[in-house]
Amino acid sequence: MPLTIPEIRKNCSIARLRMIQARKEHWAFGAFNLDDEATLRAVVQASLKKKAPVLVEVSQGEVDDIGLYNIRDMVDNFKREYGVEIYVNLDHSPSVDAAKRGIEAGFEFIHIDISMANHNASEEDIIASTKEVVNYAKLTGASVESEPHYFSGGSNVYNTDIDYEEIKKTFSTPDGAKRFIDRTGIDTFAAAIGNLHGKYPVPKILDLDLLKRIREVITCNISLHGGSDTPGHYFREAVKIGVSKININSDMRYAYRTALEKVLKDNPNETSVAKLVTKEVISAIQAVVESKIDDFNSINKMVT
Ligand SMILES: [Zn+2]
């Protein structure tokens, strides 16, 4: 059943308050990618065990595969059945129309990223689209997230080292962040401080001094994308500085694939893949989510 507008507004208002609380109390929401029911179950089980509030998120690929309203309903069913504190984020929404549909479907968090569809989108185009989504989000009170340029990479495993000299050219700056936020009115700024989408042969390095300088000049929430394969100490420091949302995808997908490959190899005669996923794979994904919850300091922060 689709949520009514008053129900959506209530959820969005609670989500906004909880983001403020997270920053004050120095913890962050893990925003965990939802690929299917197995990944959702893994996130919910980790959330229950750790008593941690969580976000699940989908990008356009999952929206096309599962459907916006199916996603909202699946999450709401788990929320009701297990009594967890859980919100939904539309991640890297590639167009204003797609973002508007996410708002109408009752997602509490909307990340508008037109550079996903056009990597060379100008900052002016990004600002104009972001402003349109911020305005439309007043319908429900959904929180809007954005950033002024394309944030590269995907959820895959990359074999190349990270060229930090190249990456540094795309880092956020305190002035740039402030200007972008002032012009768009966003609720959450997706900072680029060394965080990268995907898994690499070397661990990621975050520039926490830069994060502090950005935090000092802006008032809105800060998120970090590309959290996989980042040493946990960076997150423990980042939440102290004031990051409120950290996205995780690749580490979960990697755990899913490696656990599935192993269990299929170990059980060549089992025809129920779903049974094997329930038995072996969900726990592997859950372990990843639990370790991130520890790093994000969101353990025991659940309110229902
Ligand atoms: Zn991202």
Side-chain angles (χ1 to χ4, degrees), residues 63-74:
V63 170
D64 293 340
D65 285 347
I66 310 172
L68 276 175
Y69 287 88
N70 269 338
I71 292 160
R72 183 72 255 183
D73 278 355
M74 272 168 72

Side-chain angles (χ1 to χ4, degrees), residues 91-92 151 197 225-226 247:
D91 197 30
H92 293 283
F151 195 84
H197 289 136
H225 283 239
N247 294 15

Side-chain angles (χ1 to χ4, degrees), residues 18 25-30 46-54 289-303:
R18 296 290 285 144
E25 297 170 4
H26 302 294
W27 55 273
F29 279 96
S47 162
L48 255 185
K49 186 169 162 195
K50 295 280 182 181
K51 295 189 175 59
V54 288
V289 176
E290 284 182 25
S291 79
K292 302 297 177 188
I293 285 171
D294 290 340
D295 290 339
F296 303 165
N297 194 32
S298 57
I299 184 167
N300 291 327
K301 302 293 193 304
M302 188 189 286
V303 174

Side-chain angles (χ1 to χ4, degrees), residues 19 27 81 96 104-105 132 138 159 219 227 254 278 282 289:
M19 285 288 276
W27 55 273
E81 197 150 346
V96 171
E104 289 160 2
E132 203 178 333
K138 291 184 179 126
N159 296 317
T219 54
Y254 187 77
T278 302
I282 291 176
V289 176

